[in-house]
Amino acid sequence: MVPITEENDDARRDGTSIEVLYLSPVEPAETPFGPWMVRETVRTIGWLRDRLVPQPRLTVKAVVVLAFPQAADVWHAAAANALFQSLRGVVGSLTLERGPGLRLNMIVADGFDDPDVRVTLNFLASDAAGFIAGSTFDLREPS
Amino acid sequence: MSTLVTGAGGGIGAEIVRQLVDSGETVVAQDVNPRSLAQVQGPAVLTTAGDLLERGYLDGLGRLAVGQNVDRVIATHGIDGSAALEDATPDFVRKVMEVNAESITLLLAVTLEGLKRSGGTFVVVASQAGLHAEANNVAYCASKFAIVGWVMTLAPSLEREGVSLRAFCPGCTETPLLFAAQERFAAAAGLSAVAFIEARKRGIPIQRFAQVRETAAGAIYLAARGGRRPRILAASGGEVLH
């Protein structure tokens, strides 16, 4: 089993771990677009910047896991999808920008407790997923 | 009836105003920079300058839209968000997200009641970078992906209330904002701006950038009231297919 860690420089250095950012924007907000989309996107780009910029020669495996916010109405649903799509933009842009030094993917699920989230993280951490970069794993719908 | 155009002091916004006026329409032209609006002033144009992220100004703009019987909104405002990850500081990213995405949601909120009464349309001029990611452009892509996703989710609900919400995703359009971004992309790639731009054009099936008049015309087409139009329209010279 490949270790999954959020903060482990040694493991990152030897390429045996995957770093995971968990996003769960669940607090109620009357106007959710700012608190959900803006704040969580700023947080995500900052998290990736902190990990990639200081050590540009390392290969980093990272996953952003979004627990898709529960929508009270269509305005919340639109803000939630805006966040989801924004993160897709982040993952895609940085995959193109950083090249082989980054293997970044994204998981979206109804919650972190979903066992398929753990299965997918383990898969992404393995060598078998070495050619998967910039992808979105949408685990919300049955397939 | 009239059209509210935001970012009207810039390349695409100003051209939209000109084309609307040429076709006999009246326009409310908004920009954050009051001096930039001089180029669109005329008898059929009411200009207003202010920051869409300032609550007081935004509320006033909503009242102005009602008073002017605005039945179409074309949101063209935005800022250049190109930067490599190294330069994408939290303050920079936040500003790009607020201007290019959140302000549009706030603009819809203050114009929505009027649009419901008139059966109007609200068009977001986004970007092909909202459909297809680009390197050295993480904040901009995030903001444009966000606003396209917002439109896709919200539009069906608003249509049931008589309001058409659409997103226009133009590709490279010959504006100062585009060339500034290309210069940054070129620097990040270690190329001259001229060489980078020529290579970029070769990657577009049509092998050129869009002229401002073409992109403006696409936005106006999408803003039509009473006709069927695509919810998301890419005009990218074939570079991004949607």
Side-chain angles (χ1 to χ4, degrees), chain B residues 3-21 27-31 36-37 39-40 45 74-78 125 173 175 212-213 215-217 219-220:
Chain B
T3 303
L4 168 61
V5 180
T6 64
I12 296 170
E15 178 62 19
I16 289 172
V17 174
R18 291 188 199 100
Q19 291 190 16
L20 288 171
V21 170
V27 177
V28 178
Q30 181 278 340
D31 202 282
S36 72
L37 290 167
Q39 64 183 304
V40 295
V45 180
I74 305 178
T76 78
H77 67 277
V125 177
T173 303
T175 63
V212 173
R213 64 171 178 79
T215 298
I220 292 171

Side-chain angles (χ1 to χ4, degrees), chain B residues 64-118:
Chain B
L64 179 65
V66 171
Q68 294 296 313
N69 294 317
V70 164
D71 63 346
R72 297 194 299 182
V73 178
I74 305 178
T76 78
H77 67 277
I79 56 176
D80 175 15
S82 60
L85 183 62
E86 287 84 347
D87 301 320
T89 64
D91 285 346
F92 172 80
V93 174
R94 184 175 298 106
K95 186 69 175 177
V96 172
M97 304 307 287
E98 287 176 346
V99 173
N100 289 359
E102 186 177 21
S103 69
I104 293 168
T105 71
L106 301 174
L107 179 65
L108 175 67
V110 299
T111 55
L112 184 56
E113 287 309 313
L115 295 177
K116 284 180 182 177
R117 283 195 292 272
S118 61

